[in-house]
Amino acid sequence: MPDTPSATPQPPAVSSLDLRPLSGFGALEGWARHDVSAALRSFGQSCEAIQRRPADRPLNERAPYAGRAGDWHAVCGEALTLIARGATPQMARSFFEARFTPVALGGEGRLTGYYEPMVQARYYPDNEFSMAIRARPGLSPRGDMSQLIAGLDADRFSGADEVRPRAEIEAMNIGVPLAWGRPIDVFFMQIQGSGRLVFDDGSQRRAAFAAHNGHPYVSIGRLLLDRGELPPGQASKHHIESWLVRNGPAAWTPLFNENPRYVFFDLQEIADPNTGPMGSQGVPLTPMASLAVDPAFHAWGVPVFIDGEVSGQGRWNGLVIAQDAGGAITGPVRGDLFFGWGDEAGQTAGRQNSFARWHLLLPHALAARLRRVS
């Protein structure tokens, strides 16, 4: 429902999350060692979206701790100016330290990873490139566009039990094929939500998320673990792909269909190959500086300092910006870190699964509001 400005805007209520403002950045383990330059660039992307919002609009009505857009306009303006002038790492660090208060978020959550795969594709099918990458249908099976979601905000969905599951979409060819890929590649691209398609002439286009069919996501890795097909602790993308290759095409279709969630795509030109896909905020994602969060608890654009582990690196402390969502990302301390694109990012993201603690960075006035009611 659209926001309606009031004559005398009131500050939103303080979030019921366990939020505790800290005295300074010295309380953040690893802050002094982390280069926040990428996070500043990522924050700048979010700021361009925040600056377009009227000052009295909440960043997210379900995340009242984040206040209104006007609470961020000044810091966003300064961030964008700093970026335009070519901020050094020290300038970026000084900006966050001068303009933000770290706020501890209670609880220990889970940090997983995702990436943008590079997917070999063809414009016409053959025996190898046999699974369609489908466009969002012009009409759902019952002619009601509201039955498809133009995003991952599932609480806005209605009539989910009437939408076709994966098996029926494939069998009935629902959605015009935009391109064709290898079945394993297309299935995993649907899980990631986007991908870079590489055609046989060397050209590339982005398969960007357009909609999903409203059915819940079911992990085939979890199914294979529960059935003893994979050893405990070996349900990474690499292990799942190896199982699929070993068992062949006859095993793919029934297993894929046990995940009823289906994702539709748009094909987009890639103007800059060094930028990531659009996140749920509508801004490009930045490797190792963009985080998918649960929008039931958090607002796009909020900086989050993560204390956790990253696959292959051990303990990792880093500043990231909340810019995306995901069907499996639920809860106040549940994050999905964007690792970038290509095989190396995919290998790391596929292994990423660790506990993590969060500290939100809030403009001083918002943090002071939390102190007044604590």
Side-chain angles (χ1 to χ4, degrees):
M1 183 171 63
D3 300 311
T4 303
S6 61
T8 55
Q10 300 297 316
V14 175
S15 173
S16 60
L17 296 176
D18 180 11
L19 298 172
R20 181 170 53 88
L22 304 181
S23 58
F25 283 80
L28 302 185
E29 174 67 29
W31 170 262
R33 299 187 300 272
H34 178 61
D35 184 349
V36 300
S37 299
L40 176 62
R41 293 192 299 273
S42 181
F43 182 62
Q45 298 277 13
S46 287
C47 279
E48 291 182 0
I50 293 172
Q51 293 282 55
R52 292 192 292 268
R53 294 179 65 83
D56 60 349
R57 297 283 182 91
L59 249 61
N60 180 349
E61 291 180 339
R62 295 178 294 172
Y65 74 81
R68 300 183 184 276
D71 297 317
W72 296 79
H73 281 174
V75 296
C76 276
E78 185 171 337
L80 291 170
T81 299
L82 200 60
I83 293 168
R85 292 177 177 174
T88 65
Q90 184 54 52
M91 291 167 65
R93 184 188 311 283
S94 297
F95 163 73
F96 285 110
E97 291 176 347
R99 294 301 187 188
F100 292 86
T101 298
V103 176
L105 174 59
E108 189 173 68
R110 188 160 64 97
L111 181 67
T112 53
Y114 69 118
Y115 75 111
E116 183 180 36
M118 305 287 283
V119 176
Q120 296 292 321
R122 301 291 184 268
Y123 284 113
Y124 300 97
D126 58 28
N127 289 337
E128 182 179 5
F129 294 84
S130 59
M131 182 172 280
I133 299 163
R134 298 184 183 278
R136 176 178 176 167
L139 291 173
S140 74
R142 298 186 64 175
D144 182 0
M145 283 298 292
S146 69
Q147 290 179 345
L148 291 173
I149 306 172
L152 289 168
D153 199 358
D155 68 336
R156 296 185 180 181
F157 183 75
S158 61
D161 59 337
E162 299 176 7
V163 177
R164 305 282 185 180
R166 170 184 299 277
E168 294 182 21
I169 289 172
E170 291 284 23
M172 299 174 66
N173 294 315
I174 296 172
V176 174
L178 300 170
W180 299 80
R182 299 181 179 100
I184 295 176
D185 292 343
V186 175
F187 181 83
F188 278 105
M189 185 174 72
Q190 291 194 342
I191 294 174
Q192 298 302 320
S194 69
R196 297 191 187 195
L197 304 185
V198 182
F199 293 94
D200 50 357
D201 62 359
S203 63
Q204 295 186 19
R205 300 186 76 183
R206 175 167 282 130
F209 178 90
H212 67 64
N213 63 344
H215 284 265
Y217 168 74
V218 174
S219 167
I220 63 170
R222 171 50 57 188
L223 293 176
L224 293 175
L225 282 174
D226 291 345
R227 294 166 185 169
E229 298 282 353
L230 291 177
Q234 294 190 19
S236 69
K237 177 177 180 289
H238 170 74
H239 291 109
I240 297 170
E241 284 184 325
S242 296
W243 186 93
L244 292 168
V245 171
R246 286 197 308 271
N247 287 272
W252 298 347
T253 298
L255 181 62
F256 290 167
N257 287 342
E258 291 193 68
N259 171 29
R261 169 72 62 88
Y262 191 90
V263 171
F264 300 98
F265 296 97
D266 288 328
L267 282 194
Q268 299 177 352
E269 300 296 332
I270 302 177
D272 183 354
N274 294 315
T275 61
M278 292 290 182
S280 299
Q281 191 184 14
V283 302
L285 302 178
T286 303
M288 302 303 291
S290 293
L291 187 72
V293 299
D294 186 345
F297 297 94
H298 298 290
W300 310 136
V302 174
V304 182
F305 190 72
I306 296 289
D307 180 3
E309 292 185 355
V310 164
S311 175
Q313 298 184 31
R315 187 169 182 180
W316 184 81
N317 307 99
L319 185 63
V320 296
I321 312 300
Q323 295 176 323
D324 204 3
I329 310 305
T330 57
V333 198
R334 174 70 175 91
D336 210 20
L337 181 62
F338 179 66
F339 278 87
W341 45 87
D343 291 342
E344 184 176 350
Q347 291 171 10
T348 307
R351 296 191 299 264
Q352 175 60 38
N353 192 347
S354 72
F355 291 105
R357 294 188 180 277
W358 292 25
H359 290 83
L360 311 178
L361 302 192
L362 298 182
H364 295 313
L366 289 178
R369 186 181 302 163
L370 291 174
R371 287 195 177 98
R372 287 198 296 271
V373 300
S374 60

